[in-house]
Amino acid sequence: GEAILSLMKCWGTTGTLYGCEMEATRYSAFKDSAAKVMCGLTKNLTHGDAFQVSFSRGEKTGVSVLFLNPPYD
């Protein structure tokens, strides 16, 4: 989560962050950090399997920027 949050800081917090973290401890840390960077806007963060997640906004589906960090454990 730290890498994408650093990008959000550079771009400003006008975008919408959608995130998925599989490991519970990292998810908790990601959500806490995102709450600080995104002024508490963490509703689009989820704990689970990224291969089973779909992101959409109304009729729009997909994302403008995709940052993948495959699990190495």
Side-chain angles (χ1 to χ4, degrees), residues 25-45:
T25 304
R26 289 192 301 252
Y27 168 73
S28 180
F30 180 36
K31 191 171 182 177
D32 291 344
S33 295
K36 294 173 189 167
V37 172
M38 302 297 293
C39 304
L41 301 176
T42 60
K43 68 180 180 178
N44 298 319
L45 305 182

Side-chain angles (χ1 to χ4, degrees), residues 2-3 7 16 23 29-30 43-44 49 53 59 62 65 73:
E2 292 301 317
L7 288 173
T16 303
E23 201 276 319
F30 180 36
K43 68 180 180 178
N44 298 319
D49 183 355
V53 173
E59 293 183 18
V65 175
D73 43 326

Side-chain angles (χ1 to χ4, degrees), residues 18-23 30 46-55 66-71:
Y18 293 86
C20 180
E21 172 56 59
M22 187 164 41
E23 201 276 319
F30 180 36
T46 187
H47 172 233
D49 183 355
F51 293 110
Q52 303 299 319
V53 173
S54 174
F55 299 115
L66 180 61
F67 182 87
L68 291 176
N69 185 14

